[in-house]
Amino acid sequence: VEKVFFSKISSSSASELNTKLKDLELKEGILVVAILKGKKIIFPSGNDIIEENDTIIIIDNALNIQEINDILV
């Protein structure tokens, strides 16, 4: 059984802000499970967009995810 980690990362330093999730090139094994926009929680589809100051909740099999650029190819 592979280990799975939940990570909470900030989008403030993202190079791919304002891009639809389906258009992002995520590293293998990354699953975006929620986007927090202020107090609003979004369970995203491919058409949702990560904007500045969003917080992203992901599931991954690595523990070293610190910021959004860590999940991009």
Side-chain angles (χ1 to χ4, degrees):
V1 174
E2 215 174 304
K3 292 182 181 180
V4 176
F5 300 97
F6 286 85
S7 298
K8 177 181 171 185
I9 56 178
S10 170
S11 66
S12 61
S13 62
S15 60
E16 300 287 340
L17 288 177
N18 303 314
T19 303
K20 290 183 180 181
L21 282 178
K22 68 182 179 183
D23 296 329
L24 292 175
E25 292 188 51
L26 300 177
K27 291 181 180 175
E28 188 173 334
I30 299 286
L31 176 63
V32 177
V33 294
I35 301 172
L36 309 175
K37 295 180 177 286
K39 294 184 179 185
K40 185 176 180 182
I41 300 173
I42 295 173
F43 298 104
S45 70
N47 289 319
D48 286 300
I49 295 172
I50 296 173
E51 299 171 320
E52 189 170 3
N53 298 319
D54 287 352
T55 299
I56 300 96
I57 307 296
I58 63 163
I59 297 176
D60 186 24
N61 56 5
L63 186 57
N64 59 348
I65 304 295
Q66 301 290 320
E67 60 180 43
I68 191 169
N69 289 326
D70 293 339
I71 68 172
L72 300 172
V73 175

